[in-house]
Amino acid sequence: MAGSKMMQFVSVPQNLPHKRSVDERVQDFGEIYDRFRDERAQEQASRCEQCGIPFCQVHCPVQNNIPDWLRMTAEGRIEEAYELSIATNNLPEICGRICPQDRLCEGNCVIEKGFNSVTIGTVERYINDTAFEKGWVKPNRPLQERKQSVAVIGAGPAGIAVADQLRKQGWQVHVYDRYDRVGGLLIYGIPGFKLEKDVVVRRWKLLEEGGIHFHLGVDIGAPGHPTFSDLRARHDAVFIGTGVYKARALQAPGVGLPGVVPALSYLTASNRISLGDEVAEFADGRLDAKGRHVVVVGGGDTAMDCVRTAIRQGALSVKCLYRRDKDNMPGSMREVKHAEEEGVEFAWLSAPEAFVGEDRVEAVRAVRMRLGAPDSTGRQSPEIVPGSSFTLKADLVIAALGFDPEDHLAMFGEPELKVSRWGTISIDWSTMQTNLPGVFAGGDIVRGASLVVWGIRDGRDAAASMHNYLLARAAEDAALAAAA
Ligand code: FAD
Ligand code: SF4
Ligand code: SF4
């Protein structure tokens, strides 16, 4: 088993890679952690106890074989560690960077009390970045080409995983996306300080080299673009991985004033600038926080990405209004800590009452909240504290209240497609198939706003099921041809 290299947690303290100083990192959109040096990665991997029942793996949505790749890393067998890592995860270099590890693998690491968990995410990133550097990462070229084809709608993590898995099996894979780049929220939602854009582009190019056809700028269901039924007629199976993009609206007087903007428009503009695009709304200042007093409304990861982006754009002040307290916020504590370090001020237990201004927003009138009785989910509902109004100066307000699915009927024109009461697509979880034969779905459009790693898991599960479906169809075609 482990050998003497492992179980070093008693003598080796937890260490993360070097974190750039606040002064330095707020000057650019680069990631804030450097990569592990080889010896440091080996040392950190050697802290693992090699548990018989590894709870880290149980709580990793793609069930990564964590103890084995930690052992190989500790032993300096990085290429083998890479082979194991890529066997269960289509985007390990990305998950290692942006999974909320404190809630998943690392949060369930059982290293004895008093010692901190193994730094699983950073080791995963190290293994895979090393693999790219050393040239071990090759496109997945199938051994056998099959003639049946699949359409994947959406090139986010769910669509990428399903496409990659099916391509390995030799199916012809066509991915359609309304964006001009591959990655979904990886490219236009998540900022570069969490995930540098060249990491996403590098993976996109590899998928293309493996023979996946990307049809970009194709908005399925929009006027002048192919419809959902066109794709069903053109391909042998379809996967829907369109994510959730309808921003939840702020509801307060003055919300329509110029200067009150939705989070995703703001983040997309910033990401496009990082990618070298020209963005009119950024150039004319509508989506640029430079020299402004910024108020972000919301307490999730999207809100944290907005406040930290505003700091980097040179805002005069950045405040985050959240109606519950810090313990009850949905975002990752790690991200809140980074935001606090970078100078973001949090107004906990506060909600906007009105947006004030003449020609554009000039201030937010807010009100204090307190946590009242628990609702049906057991979560305490926020209540307004009477007479507690206060005003915050604001010339850019960013609404980051979360996302819901778009109108599926408008998008797919298919009244038979079964959806839940929240507008997410309903599937049979044992097959990932919708109620329409040959139509599968996964990622945020099924789960509601979720995580990259869950999108990958869904894509992998759907691909396994679609492979069997396509084999059955191929057998039927062969039988028909033989009978003809
Ligand atoms: P998406 O990534 O949304 O991809 C869907 C794709 O479908 C898009 O490319 C879209 O253009 C395309 N599409 C939609 N409709 C059509 C159509 N009609 N025709 C053609 N194409 C279409 N998760 C984490 O794990 N860690 C994080 O740190 C994190 N940070 C986040 C930060 C922000 C700001 C946001 C918004 C989300 C974050 N998430 C994070 C969540 C994560 O990004 C999503 O859960 C994940 O991207 C969902 O993957 P998906 O493939 O289902 O959808
Ligand atoms: Fe942890 Fe995410 Fe990697 Fe799984 S994929 S080991 S949850 S960082
Ligand atoms: Fe190693 Fe922690 Fe996983 Fe146990 S739970 S195998 S100690 S990483």
Side-chain angles (χ1 to χ4, degrees):
M1 87 129 205
S4 58
K5 279 197 181 298
M6 303 307 287
M7 302 185 74
Q8 304 295 322
F9 64 91
V10 182
S11 52
V12 178
Q14 186 198 59
N15 251 315
L16 286 168
H18 173 252
K19 188 172 170 184
R20 296 163 70 207
S21 72
V22 170
D23 287 348
E24 184 196 328
R25 71 191 200 227
V26 298
Q27 304 299 323
D28 60 45
F29 282 84
E31 288 174 11
I32 70 169
Y33 287 104
D34 292 341
R35 224 187 77 193
F36 268 143
R37 283 179 287 115
D38 296 347
E39 60 279 14
R40 180 54 69 81
Q42 290 177 20
E43 185 187 84
Q44 287 298 303
S46 75
R47 297 181 68 244
C48 170
E49 279 192 61
Q50 298 286 280
C51 304
I53 301 175
F55 283 102
C56 55
Q57 179 169 3
V58 173
H59 289 270
C60 165
V62 289
Q63 313 267 279
N64 274 341
N65 193 342
I66 300 166
D68 282 357
W69 48 247
L70 285 173
R71 179 167 45 82
M72 287 170 184
T73 305
E75 292 170 1
R77 295 156 59 196
I78 313 300
E79 190 165 2
E80 289 165 78
Y82 160 69
E83 294 295 345
L84 260 192
S85 161
I86 196 71
T88 50
N89 190 350
N90 303 76
L91 301 170
E93 74 284 14
I94 291 177
C95 291
R97 287 170 161 84
I98 59 162
C99 270
Q101 287 103 9
D102 47 346
R103 286 190 263 147
L104 300 170
C105 51
E106 293 177 17
N108 288 282
C109 172
V110 295
I111 278 195
E112 268 130 76
K113 232 180 155 47
F115 300 93
N116 291 315
S117 69
V118 179
T119 55
I120 299 168
T122 43
V123 174
E124 189 177 25
R125 175 187 161 190
Y126 162 81
I127 294 168
N128 287 280
D129 283 354
T130 305
F132 271 103
E133 258 172 42
K134 301 266 186 203
W136 302 332
V137 186
K138 300 276 187 263
N140 287 319
R141 294 218 177 81
L143 296 175
Q144 170 199 3
E145 290 290 347
R146 304 177 197 261
K147 78 176 172 35
Q148 280 74 13
S149 73
V150 295
V152 174
I153 315 176
I160 287 176
V162 82
D164 194 23
Q165 291 298 97
L166 287 173
R167 184 64 198 135
K168 282 184 210 165
Q169 301 286 352
W171 305 108
Q172 305 308 311
V173 180
H174 293 260
V175 182
Y176 299 84
D177 201 293
R178 61 186 174 194
Y179 282 154
D180 54 350
R181 289 184 173 94
V182 167
L185 290 171
L186 299 176
I187 195 91
Y188 288 136
I190 300 173
F193 49 81
K194 278 164 60 181
L195 173 63
E196 284 172 8
K197 298 297 137 192
D198 55 3
V199 174
V200 185
V201 173
R202 177 175 73 180
R203 181 55 72 177
W204 162 16
K205 297 300 162 200
L206 206 63
L207 294 165
E208 257 177 2
E209 285 169 36
I212 295 173
H213 304 278
F214 287 101
H215 306 268
L216 301 177
V218 180
D219 190 351
I220 301 303
H225 290 248
T227 63
F228 179 59
S229 62
D230 290 338
L231 294 193
R232 289 189 78 194
R234 205 180 285 169
H235 299 284
D236 298 275
V238 178
F239 176 82
I240 305 175
T242 45
V244 288
Y245 283 85
K246 193 169 87 188
R248 288 190 196 132
L250 275 174
Q251 301 202 330
V255 75
L257 281 171
V260 181
V261 302
L264 203 55
S265 308
Y266 174 70
L267 292 173
T268 303
S270 174
N271 280 315
R272 280 195 178 279
I273 297 295
S274 298
L275 283 155
D277 293 353
E278 283 180 18
V279 181
E281 298 94 328
F282 185 83
D284 67 17
R286 274 180 288 165
L287 294 177
D288 185 1
K290 189 176 166 58
R292 296 191 189 281
H293 294 283
V294 178
V295 171
V296 176
V297 184
D301 285 332
T302 303
M304 293 311 102
D305 289 349
C306 290
V307 289
R308 298 179 65 203
T309 296
I311 291 275
R312 281 160 178 77
Q313 288 178 344
L316 291 177
S317 69
V318 183
K319 295 193 173 61
C320 179
L321 280 191
Y322 180 54
R323 63 196 182 128
R324 291 190 163 91
D325 59 9
K326 190 171 180 176
D327 292 340
N328 283 288
M329 71 177 295
S332 149
M333 274 305 131
R334 187 179 61 180
E335 297 306 312
V336 177
K337 187 164 169 273
H338 292 150
E340 282 175 333
E341 287 169 359
E342 291 167 10
V344 175
E345 292 171 57
F346 284 84
W348 305 112
L349 289 164
S350 309
E353 202 179 32
F355 302 97
V356 186
E358 290 289 321
D359 302 327
R360 59 170 293 124
V361 70
E362 290 164 17
V364 179
R365 206 171 65 236
V367 65
R368 301 267 178 228
M369 312 292 287
R370 63 180 165 224
L371 294 179
D375 62 16
S376 58
T377 64
R379 221 172 158 209
Q380 281 180 286
S381 306
E383 301 167 350
I384 292 175
V385 177
S388 64
S389 282
F390 62 102
T391 301
L392 293 172
K393 189 168 171 47
D395 37 24
L396 180 65
V397 174
I398 304 171
L401 300 183
F403 304 94
D404 290 316
E406 289 157 273
D407 177 0
H408 78 282
L409 202 54
M411 193 186 287
F412 300 116
E414 178 49 85
E416 295 302 313
L417 180 64
K418 206 168 145 212
V419 293
S420 72
R421 66 190 161 109
W422 299 279
T424 49
I425 292 181
S426 302
I427 56 167
D428 172 348
W429 283 98
S430 66
T431 59
M432 308 298 287
Q433 194 164 197
T434 67
N435 63 317
L436 304 179
V439 178
F440 300 76
D444 283 4
I445 189 60
V446 168
R447 294 177 180 271
S450 176
L451 293 174
V452 169
V453 67
W454 280 115
I456 297 169
R457 165 67 188 268
D458 288 353
R460 295 177 69 86
D461 286 351
S465 179
M466 290 171 83
H467 176 64
N468 291 333
Y469 176 88
L470 289 163
L471 284 178
R473 266 195 80 138
E476 268 172 36
D477 290 350
L480 282 174

